[in-house]
Amino acid sequence: MSKQAITSRTRVLGVIGDPIEHSLSPLMHNCVLERLGLDYRYVAFHVQKDYGLHVGLAFRTLGLAGLNVTIPYKETVVGQMDVLTEEARVVGAVNTIGLNAKGELVGHNTDVAGFLGALEIHVGEGEPAGRGAVVLGAGGAARAVLYALGLSGARPIYLANRTQSRAEALAGWFSYILPDTPVELVPLTDIEALNKAFDNALITVNVTPLGMAPKVDASPLPEGAQPKPGSLVFDTIYNPERTLLLTQAQEAGCRAIGGLDMLIIQGMVSLAWWLKKPIPWKEMMDGIRKLLLAELKKG
Ligand code: NAP
């Protein structure tokens, strides 16, 4: 299909972040927009430090059709929204901005749907219910993952983080949001307790940057800790495709899943939300994966 010309009717979507030059979102979204013959383009905006406070104003001024928000602005933009969706309010972070029918600026969070969608592909709907899960990390993305695991019915959820006070704060928030899902703190230094948690878990999720390019020799697994054979180890990192954690997991007889599907699904859920129509992303999933993996291989 030949590329649709950019005219004065072409609408602009985009992603803001700092840094932003390695984002895969423009490639992914433009491929899908073109395939669907939609008169939109998706661009990356490098928003520098102090300007993160003016994203809402910029969105309105330029009449953007939609924005994704990535590190470090997911929390900065929350206060600039007129309305938050349930997901954004609960998680306390916005990764998608759009306008509603009343012209109000709405902040949404599709990381929750992205993680749940990836889980559904690799574990199957309903399978996590009543089974344990281990979350490694307690930052912004861990909040979305913890909430998504809670919604999927996983229990108990074990939370392990380098900084114990941050894990305690996250567990406190979670107990308030989903009081029926027990959450237990496991110190990363207590290998015996960590292995007990692994033995009781169907899913382990890494939500730390340990293992992400260029520091690919790092793993969030402390020495002597090992997920249970047969369980699923999900690394939210997608660059590299196969992290050291995923290699360790596979060697231990676990199913190993990278973060690319989560990235793709959160993007497709954002697109459907902006355009207010379903996007047949499931049919395009293989093609998008191949496209993004080829881009990652370029380095
Ligand atoms: P964040 O808010 O900065 O949190 C980072 C977490 O990692 C914290 O719990 C931090 O522990 C821990 N950590 C960082 N460096 C560490 C180290 N050297 N040793 C031990 N723990 C360390 O970041 P975030 O926004 O949650 O993102 C985390 C990761 O999620 C990202 O790197 C990204 O790869 C992934 N992610 C993927 C997707 C996707 O679509 N696939 C979406 C969102 C995020 P402390 O509390 O001790 O500092």
Side-chain angles (χ1 to χ4, degrees), residues 71 74 111 137-142 161-163 166 207-210 212 236-238 259 262-263 266:
I71 291 171
K74 287 186 185 185
D111 282 335
N161 190 51
R162 177 179 60 179
T163 307
R166 209 169 173 195
V207 226
T208 78
L210 289 168
M212 189 159 73
T236 60
I237 293 171
Y238 53 82
M262 177 179 172
L263 177 82
Q266 63 79 29

Side-chain angles (χ1 to χ4, degrees), residues 90-107:
V90 167
V91 174
V94 163
N95 79 333
T96 306
I97 302 175
L99 286 180
N100 65 13
K102 293 187 215 160
E104 294 167 322
L105 210 51
V106 187

Side-chain angles (χ1 to χ4, degrees), residues 26-276:
L27 183 67
M28 167 170 76
H29 280 280
N30 286 314
C31 163
V32 172
L33 291 165
E34 197 185 329
R35 277 271 299 273
L36 299 177
L38 297 166
D39 193 10
Y40 289 78
R41 290 294 195 280
Y42 186 109
V43 291
F45 296 106
H46 185 187
V47 172
Q48 295 186 30
K49 214 169 153 217
D50 299 339
Y51 293 97
L53 298 171
H54 308 295
V55 174
L57 184 63
F59 188 103
R60 283 188 183 285
T61 305
L62 298 174
L64 299 179
L67 265 187
N68 280 133
V69 181
T70 188
I71 291 171
Y73 299 122
K74 287 186 185 185
E75 280 140 28
T76 316
V77 301
V78 169
Q80 301 170 40
M81 302 294 110
D82 298 320
V83 189
L84 294 176
T85 62
E86 168 84 6
E87 292 88 338
R89 191 182 54 73
V90 167
V91 174
V94 163
N95 79 333
T96 306
I97 302 175
L99 286 180
N100 65 13
K102 293 187 215 160
E104 294 167 322
L105 210 51
V106 187
H108 186 29
N109 188 304
T110 64
D111 282 335
V112 177
F115 179 74
L116 281 176
L119 209 57
E120 198 181 314
I121 291 176
H122 297 286
V123 189
E125 208 179 345
E127 221 189 306
R131 314 283 297 276
V134 177
V135 175
L136 303 169
R143 212 175 243 257
V145 164
L146 203 62
Y147 181 55
L149 282 169
L151 293 181
S152 76
R155 60 176 61 194
I157 300 180
Y158 303 96
L159 187 55
N161 190 51
R162 177 179 60 179
T163 307
Q164 190 68 2
S165 58
R166 209 169 173 195
E168 281 164 14
L170 186 61
W173 160 82
F174 187 72
S175 304
Y176 175 73
I177 297 294
L178 291 176
D180 294 335
T181 306
V183 57
E184 292 178 27
L185 298 181
V186 184
L188 271 175
T189 45
D190 188 341
I191 305 303
E192 201 184 322
L194 199 54
N195 279 331
K196 253 191 202 160
F198 283 137
D199 282 346
N200 197 27
L202 172 70
I203 305 163
T204 295
V205 189
N206 173 39
V207 226
T208 78
L210 289 168
M212 189 159 73
K215 297 182 181 165
V216 297
D217 293 337
S219 162
L221 275 188
E223 183 100 17
Q226 187 175 300
K228 191 174 158 184
S231 68
L232 181 111
V233 175
F234 189 127
D235 200 336
T236 60
I237 293 171
Y238 53 82
N239 185 16
E241 181 194 9
R242 187 134 299 257
T243 58
L244 176 56
L245 171 67
L246 294 182
T247 303
Q248 291 171 324
Q250 231 171 10
E251 284 169 4
C254 304
R255 287 180 287 164
I257 310 297
L260 199 61
D261 285 359
M262 177 179 172
L263 177 82
I264 296 171
I265 298 171
Q266 63 79 29
M268 293 301 103
V269 174
S270 293
L271 191 59
W273 187 73
W274 290 320
L275 304 185
K276 298 179 178 59

